[in-house]
Amino acid sequence: MAISLGGGTASAQEWKLESNISQQVLYSDNLLLSRNREVETVGFITAPELHLERNSPTSQIAFDGRFEFAEYIDHSDFNSQDQLLDLRVDQALSERAALRLSAYFNHDTTLKSEQDVTGRFLDDSIEFISWNVAPGFAYRLTPVDEMVVRGNYRQTTYYDTEEKTDYEYFGPALDFRHQLNELEAVTATVGATRYIPDEPGDDYTDTISTLFGYSYQSSERFSISGGVGVAYSMRHEDPGQDSDDLGFRLKFNTNYQLSDQTRLRASISHDNEPSGDGDTVVRNRVTFGLDHQLAPLVTARLNMDYADNVDIIGSEGDETSDEDTSRYTSVRPAIAWQLTEDWSLEAQYRFRYRLFDDDGGDAMSNSVFLTLQYDLPTWAGTGF
């Protein structure tokens, strides 16, 4: 389908809309991943999803939306209607300058979200809204040097609970990138953030951080990037109980297509993150993914995630490792069939493990998922 609107000398925009709807059936023997309240149930999640993009010679706009409707047998208190929205904008102002904007809105529950996986056990599903806006200005200093000045504001609000703490998280950052050659680049980032929990008193945490990185991309089949830096945090608590901490930052990402049938991806992060526990948390995160095409229409997948809050090098590392250690692991093997051009089916098993030392124990969960997805016809056209 092609649609042409308007006239004159304005440049045409290319529009594309992709959408799908999926129906998932799940079984879990410990839905909450809780030590004290093990809920065994069957659930159904219906999720329409869309991707809309508009491209022109000077701008790119992309919008993603996913709307989840979840119901659980004999546990209607876990039912939810959630929205996950994401917007990205890149607008060129000249040959050297551009405006950038990224934003998201998540209305979700702690039952399905893994945004705050380290922390105490939760014996209920908690609804929350988290939204973020990150504007930026990019300027190409030379053909091989680019500078980006950006800001970030995030707000997270939890509903009907005393187990989690609302917070604000915001600050500016300056990025620099130097292209060494067609394959390699070096980067540097300096940023500052403030974390404000919604608690009585004038409590907040300021963090100043740096990250120096290197990236290499030999082709579409292989890319690798990484960076190291430091983060200095200053925590202020009323009345006048201030403390500080010096730690390091680490980032690593790689994508490698081992063959025409097999692709690997992995990432490692050690960084200071906001949390719903009333304070910033140093988290280690490791992700691993492997896709292997068994047949033209059959793909096997393996995804693994690990997260903990052990700051092994920060100046407060020993205190963290003693009492408040939290560890989370998720392993998800799956197999997917492309039934027709529009229909696909995926079967997945998920094992989760969680430890929280201060809470006196651990918890495990076994879940199976069966997801049927229908891809609606793609719409594409031109307009202004």
Side-chain angles (χ1 to χ4, degrees):
M1 178 185 297
I3 298 176
S4 179
L5 301 173
T9 60
S11 60
Q13 317 288 337
E14 296 181 354
W15 294 82
K16 184 169 71 172
L17 174 64
E18 299 173 322
S19 57
N20 66 70
I21 185 169
S22 63
Q23 179 63 60
Q24 183 179 88
V25 182
L26 67 93
Y27 162 81
S28 178
D29 63 359
N30 188 357
L31 187 67
L32 293 167
L33 191 57
S34 172
R35 184 172 54 87
N36 299 318
R37 186 187 180 191
E38 296 187 5
V39 175
E40 182 178 6
T41 188
V42 173
F44 304 89
I45 299 178
T46 305
E49 190 170 358
L50 64 89
H51 171 79
L52 176 65
E53 63 180 55
R54 191 201 74 168
N55 298 300
S56 77
T58 59
S59 67
Q60 293 82 41
I61 301 175
F63 173 79
D64 293 284
R66 179 177 172 86
F67 308 87
E68 297 182 349
F69 303 87
E71 295 186 0
Y72 299 91
I73 294 178
D74 296 330
H75 293 279
S76 60
D77 51 323
F78 295 157
N79 295 353
S80 63
Q81 297 82 42
D82 304 318
Q83 305 85 40
L84 299 93
L85 311 176
D86 185 82
L87 174 68
R88 299 173 303 281
V89 179
D90 194 330
Q91 175 66 54
L93 302 177
S94 66
E95 293 184 356
R96 291 191 171 189
L99 291 177
R100 296 173 182 171
L101 173 69
S102 62
Y104 71 75
F105 173 89
N106 287 356
H107 177 202
D108 207 343
T109 65
T110 55
L111 183 65
K112 296 190 285 84
S113 171
E114 296 183 353
Q115 79 156 68
D116 208 3
V117 294
T118 55
R120 64 179 68 91
F121 287 108
L122 298 175
D123 295 330
D124 204 350
S125 177
I126 299 173
E127 177 187 3
F128 70 88
I129 289 179
S130 181
W131 59 274
N132 184 91
V133 178
F137 173 76
Y139 188 77
R140 188 166 294 279
L141 303 169
T142 71
V144 296
D145 297 308
E146 183 183 63
M147 179 183 68
V148 179
V149 180
R150 56 185 172 87
N152 181 79
Y153 179 85
R154 182 192 308 180
Q155 180 173 304
T156 299
T157 303
Y158 298 92
Y159 292 91
D160 301 324
T161 182
E162 296 181 356
E163 296 293 317
K164 306 294 284 185
T165 302
D166 303 346
Y167 66 85
E168 296 176 89
Y169 185 73
F170 54 89
L174 176 66
D175 302 324
F176 176 78
R177 179 184 178 88
H178 173 71
Q179 197 74 32
L180 298 172
N181 51 52
E182 292 183 355
L183 307 179
E184 301 171 285
V186 291
T187 59
T189 297
V190 178
T193 59
R194 171 164 289 191
Y195 171 88
I196 304 177
D198 186 11
E199 296 178 333
D202 185 25
D203 296 351
Y204 58 86
T205 300
D206 290 332
T207 302
I208 300 173
S209 62
T210 63
L211 190 69
F212 301 94
Y214 168 83
S215 64
Y216 175 83
Q217 182 171 355
S218 60
S219 65
E220 293 183 356
R221 298 175 64 98
F222 177 74
S223 65
I224 187 170
S225 64
V228 294
V230 296
Y232 177 65
S233 297
M234 298 157 285
R235 181 179 179 182
H236 173 77
E237 294 182 273
D238 274 347
Q241 298 179 5
D242 296 345
S243 61
D244 59 5
D245 179 39
L246 179 64
F248 82 101
R249 303 180 67 199
L250 172 66
K251 300 287 185 179
F252 171 82
N253 290 277
T254 186
N255 282 275
Y256 185 26
Q257 186 170 340
L258 302 171
S259 66
D260 291 339
Q261 294 78 33
T262 307
R263 176 175 290 276
L264 177 150
R265 59 195 175 277
S267 68
I268 300 173
S269 172
H270 175 93
D271 210 349
N272 202 315
E273 300 179 6
S275 79
D277 293 331
D279 199 359
T280 58
V281 177
V282 175
R283 288 198 178 103
N284 301 297
R285 294 183 183 268
V286 179
T287 66
F288 174 84
L290 183 67
D291 295 348
H292 179 70
Q293 191 173 11
L294 301 174
L297 301 178
V298 183
T299 302
R301 301 189 176 102
L302 175 63
N303 291 283
M304 297 185 291
D305 299 286
Y306 171 83
D308 68 39
N309 63 346
V310 181
D311 187 7
I312 56 177
I313 295 184
S315 60
E316 294 184 353
D318 293 338
E319 298 176 14
T320 301
S321 60
D322 285 343
E323 297 181 352
D324 300 327
T325 298
S326 176
R327 304 181 191 275
Y328 172 85
T329 303
S330 172
V331 181
R332 306 185 306 280
I335 186 167
W337 297 268
Q338 192 68 43
L339 303 176
T340 69
E341 184 178 353
D342 302 322
W343 290 90
S344 62
L345 181 68
E346 181 179 89
Q348 180 188 99
Y349 166 75
R350 182 181 70 183
F351 171 79
R352 293 184 297 166
Y353 173 81
R354 189 170 187 173
L355 167 72
F356 185 50
D357 285 353
D358 194 44
D359 219 11
D362 56 7
M364 292 182 290
S365 169
N366 297 279
S367 305
V368 292
F369 304 83
L370 189 65
T371 305
L372 180 65
Q373 178 173 303
Y374 173 67
D375 295 329
L376 281 73
T378 298
W379 176 89
T382 58
F384 294 97

